[in-house]
Amino acid sequence: MTKRTLSLLILCFGVLLYANAQEPQTEDVAPKTVIEQYDQVIKSSGNYNNGPKRYKVIERPKLERYRKQLSDSVTTLKTKITNLNKRIEDQASEITGLNTNLSSTQKTLEDTNLEKDSMSFLGSQMSKGSYQTMMWSIIGILFLGLLLFIFRFKNSNTLTRQAKRKLDELELDFDDYKRKALEKEQKLGRQLQDERNKLLKQSKS
């Protein structure tokens, strides 16, 4: 065994003793992140100098423990990512449902506003403005019809009164004619009787 090999073994043995002596102190503080765990492993490892080059001597149990912690962290991150993806999908589905409900609500609101701003007439929908215009037009036509009816009724009533007055005048004239005819008939009857009486007297004498 050469001196150089012996020196290297003594150096490695000293490094391991130094690392074992420092391990209880470094393990008191539990690292939280993977970076902190890595820094702790590096800090708790020993140094090895080979001329101008420097190396870190890491115990295999620490390396295995760090590998397990790293694997656990990766597994935890994968689980979190899976949960986050599931949550994102649920939120996307919920957003889709909300958008559908919003569209349905907007359609219902539009239909309600349309129904509120429109009127049903003879089974057809029309705006309130058109409905009011049509109703006022109908009212105007009915009012004009009423005025025309009143005018014609008054005119007819005037003609009726005139006809009744003329009928009364005709009845008066007819009554006067009958009276005069009766008087004339009575006068002619008396004259005829007088003539008969004269003839009767002449025949006796």
Side-chain angles (χ1 to χ4, degrees):
M1 182 179 294
T2 61
K3 292 183 178 180
R4 184 174 180 180
T5 303
L6 182 61
S7 299
L8 183 59
L9 290 175
I10 293 172
L11 180 61
C12 291
F13 182 73
V15 168
L16 290 175
L17 290 177
Y18 177 76
N20 290 330
Q22 295 295 326
E23 184 175 354
Q25 296 178 357
T26 58
E27 289 180 351
D28 290 338
V29 180
K32 296 181 180 179
T33 65
V34 176
I35 301 299
E36 291 177 352
Q37 295 171 4
Y38 174 79
D39 292 338
Q40 185 180 16
V41 170
I42 296 300
K43 288 179 181 179
S44 63
S45 62
N47 296 323
Y48 167 67
N49 296 325
N50 185 11
K53 297 182 180 180
R54 299 182 60 188
Y55 301 93
K56 282 289 185 179
V57 179
I58 302 175
E59 295 179 5
R60 186 177 183 85
K62 289 184 178 181
L63 189 61
E64 292 292 336
R65 185 167 61 251
Y66 176 72
R67 181 179 180 279
K68 183 178 182 303
Q69 292 172 347
L70 182 61
S71 178
D72 293 340
S73 299
V74 171
T75 302
T76 302
L77 288 176
K78 287 182 178 179
T79 302
K80 288 183 178 180
I81 291 172
T82 302
N83 293 334
L84 288 175
N85 288 332
K86 181 65 170 58
R87 185 176 178 182
I88 290 172
E89 291 177 359
D90 293 340
Q91 289 179 348
S93 178
E94 183 177 357
I95 290 172
T96 302
L98 290 175
N99 289 331
T100 302
N101 291 334
L102 179 60
S103 300
S104 178
T105 303
Q106 289 178 345
K107 182 65 169 57
T108 303
L109 180 61
E110 291 175 358
D111 294 340
T112 302
N113 291 331
L114 180 61
E115 183 178 356
K116 183 180 68 175
D117 295 334
S118 63
M119 301 292 293
S120 178
F121 182 76
L122 297 178
S124 61
Q125 293 289 336
M126 60 176 58
S127 63
K128 281 189 175 180
S130 300
Y131 179 80
Q132 291 178 354
T133 302
M134 185 188 65
M135 291 304 297
W136 281 112
S137 299
I138 294 175
I139 292 173
I141 293 172
L142 291 176
F143 182 72
L144 291 176
L146 179 62
L147 291 178
L148 180 62
F149 175 77
I150 293 173
F151 173 77
R152 295 186 65 178
F153 176 77
K154 286 185 176 181
N155 189 25
S156 177
N157 194 21
T158 302
L159 294 175
T160 301
R161 285 198 302 268
Q162 291 177 355
K164 186 176 180 180
R165 186 171 60 252
K166 288 182 180 180
L167 181 61
D168 292 338
E169 291 176 355
L170 288 174
E171 288 180 352
L172 290 175
D173 292 339
F174 183 70
D175 290 339
D176 185 60
Y177 171 77
K178 286 195 299 182
R179 182 180 57 77
K180 288 180 179 181
L182 181 60
E183 290 177 353
K184 188 175 181 180
E185 183 180 357
Q186 289 176 354
K187 183 178 180 181
L188 290 173
R190 285 193 299 269
Q191 290 178 354
L192 181 60
Q193 187 64 36
D194 290 339
E195 292 295 331
R196 286 179 179 176
N197 292 332
K198 286 181 181 180
L199 290 174
L200 184 58
K201 287 179 180 180
Q202 288 178 0
S203 61
K204 287 181 178 182
S205 59

